[in-house]
Amino acid sequence: MEKGISLPVVYTPMPAPASNNRSKSLKTVAKALALGLPLYALYAWHTNQAPVNFASQCVQASPLKPSQNDKLDQAYDFLSTEAFLNASVARLSGAVRVKSESIDGLCAVGQDPRWDVFYDFASYLKKTFPLIHSKLQVDKVNTHGLLYTWEGSNKDFKPTLLMAHQDTVPVPPETIPAWTHPPWSGEYDGKYIWGRGAGGGKNQLIAIMETVELLLDAGWEPKRTILLSFGFDKEYSGRQGAAHLAPFIEKRYGKDSLAVIVDEGAAGFEKTWGTLFAKPGTAEKGYTADVYMTVRMPNGHSSIPSEDHTSAARVASELIVEIATEQSRTHLEEENPVFTQLQCGAAHSPEFPHKLKKLLLGYRRHSSSSQQQQQTSCKVKPDDLALEAAKREGDPTSKYHIETTSQANGDVITGGGGMQTNAPPECVRVTVVNHRINIGETPQVVYDRLTKIAAHVAKKHKLSLHVHAFESSCAAEIEPATNAAIIIAKKSDHYELLAAP
């Protein structure tokens, strides 16, 4: 070999032991599988899912317009004039000025003179809407219930029923000085009409009457009979008004005899996510009447209180705090109109939140499997879609459309104490009123929740717990040995309404 000539050299490392090679190969394969399988599963899941068409879940009805009618066109154009605005304001303001409270505890019509305020309201309507009272049939049901019948030309068509109520909730006299404008003034500030009923009942009643009056003035005649039904104790219970009007109408037309019922459900207009929504109310929460929670304990004396200062009043206060602070579950069912609005927002709103759309997409794809998991699990999982929907900016009340709500009030009953300032009452009754039950839940959810809260408080204070079917008071028949107790009972005239739909 000549000097200076280099030959190529190939370095071949010594082979590693066979066991090390196999170990490294297995680790590499494991890493590949750990990374690849989830990615492949995610890819397969996405490719096998049909795209969600939110617009198909947001059905929009085509607008309807009556056939050409010059007088109707003129009446419609009149609605946009300042003259109509001023006249409409005057009509609603006048209705607000008629004090028409319905108060808890009123006796039957004819036995309680406080119902007589509705004579004044009926007189106001007759004076304000003369065409209606001269051309429509007017029936007064249980004295103050008003039923107007506008006969249609086609008797084969089922009637349309439009409903509202004449009454308002009462105003505690001591709160009147706190009002910006007096509650029965009907004051118009250029933007709002102030007073009881201006935005909670009388506005819809006057709107219905104005519409019919204008149509009568235009000479329009309906093919379908139109009924206007106005109760007068909706804020109390409806038992004197609607409870008499409903069977009156059913007796005249028969069961399942109405084409449509439009009641106090118009949610109005709402601008959210950059879109204006027109929102007719198509659902209603359920209701369960008063539930009494009574606390009975030995009263003692203020000079020698119990060791931990526990008393019936303190335990009752604790119950009220627990009921108020333990929030009911935020939950959204597909039957709830809020769910439909989310679909419409995802389809048409430019500012619809990305996170909300992502949750909505996941809900649509996983609702059936989630329901199966809920049925096989004792623990109820949080409804992430509902919780996110409840955060709607600018509307702090939006969450109440998707959860059961309640209000607790305390009534002190003096039984064996409480007559003197130095003798604490040995019985305090908490009245939990006006439960409004979320769509998808039942009254039993309310009772279970109250029982759970009461059981917790009772255990804490070493009290017994008694659940009665109906009303119980401080004179309830329970054994003296169990006198220290919490008693849960429904009102004797208890009734329930399930959520609709």
Side-chain angles (χ1 to χ4, degrees), residues 231-300:
F232 57 93
D233 65 336
K234 177 263 182 185
E235 302 293 359
Y236 172 30
S237 67
R239 297 181 183 181
Q240 298 292 316
H244 288 260
L245 284 158
F248 185 92
I249 294 170
E250 184 179 80
K251 184 177 179 180
R252 180 193 288 179
Y253 296 102
K255 291 184 178 293
D256 192 27
S257 56
L258 301 176
V260 62
I261 299 173
V262 182
D263 199 353
E264 185 186 13
F269 295 92
E270 178 190 22
K271 189 167 186 179
T272 185
W273 310 314
T275 303
L276 182 64
F277 290 83
K279 298 171 60 178
T282 57
E284 186 171 6
K285 280 186 167 184
Y287 173 84
T288 181
D290 300 1
V291 177
Y292 293 139
M293 303 180 77
T294 305
V295 180
R296 294 175 55 171
M297 297 179 68
N299 62 329

Side-chain angles (χ1 to χ4, degrees), residues 370-391:
S370 297
Q371 289 170 3
Q372 291 172 0
Q373 291 174 7
Q374 296 273 4
Q375 291 170 2
T376 58
S377 174
C378 294
K379 186 177 180 180
V380 179
K381 294 182 179 180
D383 188 333
D384 294 331
L385 175 62
L387 291 170
E388 189 65 26
K391 300 176 184 177

Side-chain angles (χ1 to χ4, degrees), residues 32-45:
L33 288 173
L35 179 64
L37 283 179
L39 289 175
Y40 176 77
L42 184 63
Y43 169 78
W45 181 81

Side-chain angles (χ1 to χ4, degrees), residues 17-287:
S19 59
N20 286 346
N21 267 346
R22 284 195 297 270
S23 176
K24 287 183 179 180
S25 298
L26 289 173
K27 287 181 180 179
T28 303
V29 172
K31 288 180 180 178
L33 288 173
L35 179 64
L37 283 179
L39 289 175
Y40 176 77
L42 184 63
Y43 169 78
W45 181 81
H46 273 290
T47 54
N48 289 324
Q49 296 297 318
V52 175
N53 183 359
F54 290 114
S56 67
Q57 307 297 321
C58 178
V59 179
Q60 300 296 295
S62 300
L64 296 176
K65 189 175 181 180
S67 56
Q68 184 65 33
N69 184 309
D70 290 341
K71 286 191 175 182
L72 276 184
D73 290 341
Q74 292 174 9
Y76 182 78
D77 292 339
F78 178 61
L79 298 178
S80 301
T81 65
E82 188 173 350
F84 174 76
L85 173 63
N86 293 334
S88 184
V89 165
R91 284 188 283 263
L92 180 53
S93 295
V96 170
R97 285 193 288 271
V98 181
K99 187 177 180 180
S100 56
E101 298 172 308
S102 63
I103 305 167
D104 285 359
L106 285 172
C107 298
V109 173
Q111 300 177 13
D112 196 321
R114 288 175 290 180
W115 292 115
D116 292 348
V117 295
F118 292 98
Y119 286 119
D120 297 333
F121 194 76
S123 297
Y124 174 77
L125 294 180
K126 185 174 182 179
K127 178 184 68 175
T128 307
F129 302 102
L131 291 179
I132 289 177
H133 287 83
S134 63
K135 296 188 176 184
L136 270 59
Q137 177 182 334
V138 184
D139 293 287
K140 295 186 177 179
V141 180
N142 196 24
T143 307
H144 300 300
L146 299 175
L147 180 66
Y148 298 87
T149 304
W150 192 0
E151 291 288 353
S153 59
N154 192 328
K155 303 302 180 185
D156 293 332
F157 288 173
K158 291 182 176 182
T160 288
L161 176 61
L162 307 179
M163 300 172 65
H165 61 97
Q166 309 169 53
D167 61 309
T168 71
V169 294
V171 178
E174 63 273 15
T175 68
I176 292 178
W179 283 66
T180 303
H181 299 284
W184 312 109
S185 66
E187 181 74 23
Y188 178 57
D189 65 4
K191 185 176 182 180
Y192 299 110
I193 296 173
W194 293 76
R196 273 288 194 255
K202 290 184 176 179
N203 55 334
Q204 291 178 317
L205 189 151
I206 295 299
I208 291 170
M209 296 291 275
E210 282 184 336
T211 302
V212 174
E213 189 82 359
L214 282 171
L215 290 172
L216 286 168
D217 187 52
W220 184 77
E221 296 181 357
K223 292 181 179 179
R224 186 188 304 276
T225 293
I226 297 174
L227 305 174
L228 317 180
S229 178
F230 304 143
F232 57 93
D233 65 336
K234 177 263 182 185
E235 302 293 359
Y236 172 30
S237 67
R239 297 181 183 181
Q240 298 292 316
H244 288 260
L245 284 158
F248 185 92
I249 294 170
E250 184 179 80
K251 184 177 179 180
R252 180 193 288 179
Y253 296 102
K255 291 184 178 293
D256 192 27
S257 56
L258 301 176
V260 62
I261 299 173
V262 182
D263 199 353
E264 185 186 13
F269 295 92
E270 178 190 22
K271 189 167 186 179
T272 185
W273 310 314
T275 303
L276 182 64
F277 290 83
K279 298 171 60 178
T282 57
E284 186 171 6
K285 280 186 167 184
Y287 173 84

Side-chain angles (χ1 to χ4, degrees), residues 292-316:
Y292 293 139
M293 303 180 77
T294 305
V295 180
R296 294 175 55 171
M297 297 179 68
N299 62 329
H301 191 277
S302 61
S303 64
I304 311 175
S306 63
E307 185 176 349
D308 59 355
H309 291 267
T310 300
S311 65
R314 175 181 169 179
V315 174

